[in-house]
Amino acid sequence: MVSVWAGDGNTAFLPYCFDPLDPNGNITVVFDIKQWTKDGYVVRVTIQNYYQYRHVDEPGWKLGWTWANTEIIWSMSGAFATIQGNCSSFKFQTPHSCQKSPVIADLTPDALPENRTDDCCRGGLLASWALDPSKSFSSFEMMVGNLGENPKVQPPRNLTLMASGPGYTCGLVKDTDPTVSSDIGGQRQIQAYRTWKSTCTYSSFIANQTPQCCVSLSTFYNPKITPCPSCSCGCREADKTTVSCIREGYPAPQLDDNDIVQCTDHMCPVRVHWHVMKNYFTHWKVKLTISNYNYKRNYSNWNVLIQHPGFSQNITAYSFNSTMLPSLGFSDEVALFWGIEYYNDELLSADKDQLGSVSTQILLSKDLESFTLGNGWALPRRIYFNGETCQMPLPDTYPMLPNANPSLKPAHPFFLLLIYLTFKTSVNWLL
């Protein structure tokens, strides 16, 4: 639950921003006043992504607020205000922005040295905390002024965050303990004069987006493939011969090429397929495939989060990176998978001949007391792609064991060895 300024002096609470698999995830915005000036201050703003598996993708973040008084931005480094506004009253020095409610965007990595500051210029991209903490934050600096001598400095209000789109709600910008940073190789500590902080949380309910992905299932013991549920991310046109479709939920004036996908019954840009491949005596194997049905969009630095009880044992992913995340009270464990840099960390778009896809085989150790192929145990409980929940098939559509066979257990290796030795002895006797 997150507190939100309601605009009438009261605080509203939204229960929709809670992710049970990442309850502490958020994006924190910190304002550190580093220096006082004759009419204001110099402030360093840091945007830190604490989401375990939700990253900020292109076109990147945009941060906005409303000034409490008559503030203007004299200059900026590491980012820029998207609109300068009306600065006609300033005759001798032109401010960077005179907007009452400025919107700030990140500079690209190729920004000129004179426009940069430390830890800036990532093009608005923020990695998730679990994947790469070193790229999960970005900073910029501003010289804020027009407050007169001995100003009454107040934090900005109505903070807004667009991080690859809507869905984020930010709490009040409040005073907190001043940030302490290190200098001279950690030998000296420097404290900010004042620090303000706000926490922003994401909700797909607030974003009001159509789903982004769906899940299909298959197994070695049943020829049936359970497809993604029909209309998982929208319903296709009645004309089944149409190859490319425009997804529902994107009004025509807002369309761009990113929303054109291959026409399917599920109409999702991304499908995650889980195939149970093999059942060994002490291990079992799964193939995980992520397919891109979007004709124009690549997914860079993608990740897939899977909840499954089998992850309580050792797992080995052969072609993806992987790590375990805290289960936080769930009986089923949670594993995060993502691509290997320069190999398959980009999920390419589809073309007329084939889908863009990445895949890996996953070898899982068995807990012989709990493992079973019955009742869909070997199938995932929940899957997320890039932080968005994927639409799962209904349990009654799962591939079942043939003739209600409870286990399809593999033969014990000692039994197989006995058969082999008996056969070899028989052959030698015949010879």
Side-chain angles (χ1 to χ4, degrees):
M1 187 173 291
V2 61
S3 60
V4 183
W5 181 249
D8 57 0
N10 297 316
T11 301
F13 292 93
L14 293 176
Y16 306 107
C17 302
F18 179 77
D19 182 348
L21 296 183
D22 191 10
N24 299 317
N26 67 78
I27 292 181
T28 298
V29 183
V30 177
F31 296 78
D32 289 317
I33 295 180
K34 300 174 53 181
Q35 178 183 343
W36 300 113
T37 63
K38 63 181 180 180
D39 68 339
Y41 53 88
V42 175
V43 62
R44 181 175 180 84
V45 183
T46 301
I47 305 172
Q48 172 70 66
N49 182 12
Y50 287 112
Y51 278 106
Q52 294 288 333
Y53 49 85
R54 177 180 296 282
H55 67 281
V56 178
D57 204 353
E58 294 178 349
W61 57 261
K62 287 186 178 180
L63 186 67
W65 61 78
T66 299
W67 291 117
N69 297 300
T70 59
E71 293 94 335
I72 53 94
I73 302 174
W74 283 117
S75 61
M76 290 192 71
S77 57
F80 63 96
T82 58
I83 299 176
Q84 183 185 35
N86 182 7
C87 296
S88 58
S89 60
F90 298 89
K91 301 186 182 302
F92 302 104
Q93 182 178 356
T94 303
H96 179 82
S97 175
C98 301
Q99 287 285 95
K100 179 68 173 178
S101 299
V103 175
I104 310 301
D106 198 11
L107 290 173
T108 56
D110 59 355
L112 295 175
E114 57 266 29
N115 296 329
R116 301 175 65 92
T117 187
D118 293 341
D119 302 320
C120 80
C121 313
R122 304 188 192 277
L125 308 184
L126 297 176
S128 61
W129 180 255
L131 266 63
D132 192 347
S134 68
K135 296 181 180 179
S136 67
F137 65 95
S138 186
S139 299
F140 61 90
E141 292 190 3
M142 302 183 293
M143 180 179 287
V144 179
N146 198 40
L147 290 173
E149 295 184 4
N150 300 316
K152 180 182 179 182
V153 175
Q154 293 179 282
R157 301 170 178 170
N158 303 326
L159 195 73
T160 60
L161 176 65
M162 296 283 288
S164 306
Y168 284 89
T169 302
C170 299
L172 298 175
V173 183
K174 297 182 179 181
D175 271 294
T176 187
D177 293 335
T179 299
V180 177
S181 57
S182 60
D183 193 13
I184 316 179
Q187 300 180 65
R188 168 179 163 83
Q189 290 188 335
I190 303 174
Q191 180 173 301
Y193 288 106
R194 287 182 66 180
T195 296
W196 303 318
K197 183 181 294 186
S198 175
T199 299
C200 305
T201 50
Y202 178 82
S203 166
S204 56
F205 178 86
I206 296 175
N208 196 27
Q209 290 186 7
T210 54
Q212 302 293 309
C213 64
C214 62
V215 177
S216 57
L217 308 166
S218 62
T219 65
F220 71 90
Y221 53 78
N222 192 322
K224 175 187 175 182
I225 297 177
T226 299
C228 287
S230 296
C231 298
S232 290
C233 305
C235 295
R236 68 181 297 172
E237 300 172 0
D239 184 3
K240 297 292 185 179
T241 63
T242 305
V243 176
S244 61
C245 289
I246 296 173
R247 290 203 310 130
E248 294 179 355
Y250 292 87
Q254 299 178 9
L255 273 178
D256 58 34
D257 290 339
N258 291 345
D259 305 317
I260 300 176
V261 300
Q262 185 179 114
C263 292
T264 58
D265 289 335
H266 57 74
M267 285 299 295
C268 292
V270 174
R271 183 193 69 179
V272 180
H273 185 75
W274 177 277
H275 174 65
V276 181
M277 293 179 63
K278 299 285 186 181
N279 180 24
Y280 306 111
F281 183 70
T282 59
H283 293 77
W284 58 297
K285 186 182 289 185
V286 167
K287 184 175 182 180
L288 180 66
T289 304
I290 303 105
S291 300
N292 185 4
Y293 287 78
N294 205 306
Y295 279 118
K296 297 295 182 180
R297 179 178 179 183
N298 298 336
Y299 291 92
S300 300
N301 300 314
W302 58 267
N303 68 74
V304 170
L305 183 83
I306 302 178
Q307 185 179 13
H308 194 290
F311 293 153
S312 62
Q313 306 300 307
N314 292 331
I315 66 171
T316 302
Y318 291 105
S319 303
F320 292 168
N321 291 309
S322 65
T323 188
M324 300 301 298
L325 297 183
S327 57
L328 301 169
F330 285 93
S331 58
D332 301 327
E333 299 297 323
V334 179
L336 183 64
F337 300 91
W338 68 99
I340 298 172
E341 191 173 10
Y342 305 122
Y343 175 58
N344 58 4
D345 60 339
E346 185 164 15
L347 178 56
L348 299 178
S349 60
D351 58 34
K352 63 179 182 179
D353 297 320
Q354 64 181 4
L355 301 173
S357 66
V358 291
S359 64
T360 187
Q361 294 184 14
I362 305 171
L363 185 67
L364 302 96
S365 299
K366 279 185 180 179
D367 178 352
L368 298 179
E369 294 184 358
S370 62
F371 178 86
T372 177
L373 295 176
N375 300 317
W377 185 93
L379 305 174
R381 306 301 185 260
R382 193 183 318 191
I383 291 181
Y384 288 56
F385 176 79
N386 280 355
E388 297 291 342
T389 304
C390 297
Q391 300 298 300
M392 295 288 297
L394 293 174
D396 60 1
T397 65
Y398 287 1
M400 303 300 291
L401 286 168
N403 300 321
N405 190 325
S407 62
L408 276 181
K409 291 183 178 179
H412 195 288
F414 293 111
F415 179 69
L416 295 177
L417 179 61
L418 180 61
I419 294 176
Y420 170 75
L421 292 175
T422 303
F423 174 77
K424 186 176 180 180
T425 301
S426 302
V427 170
N428 291 335
W429 182 77
L430 291 173
L431 293 177

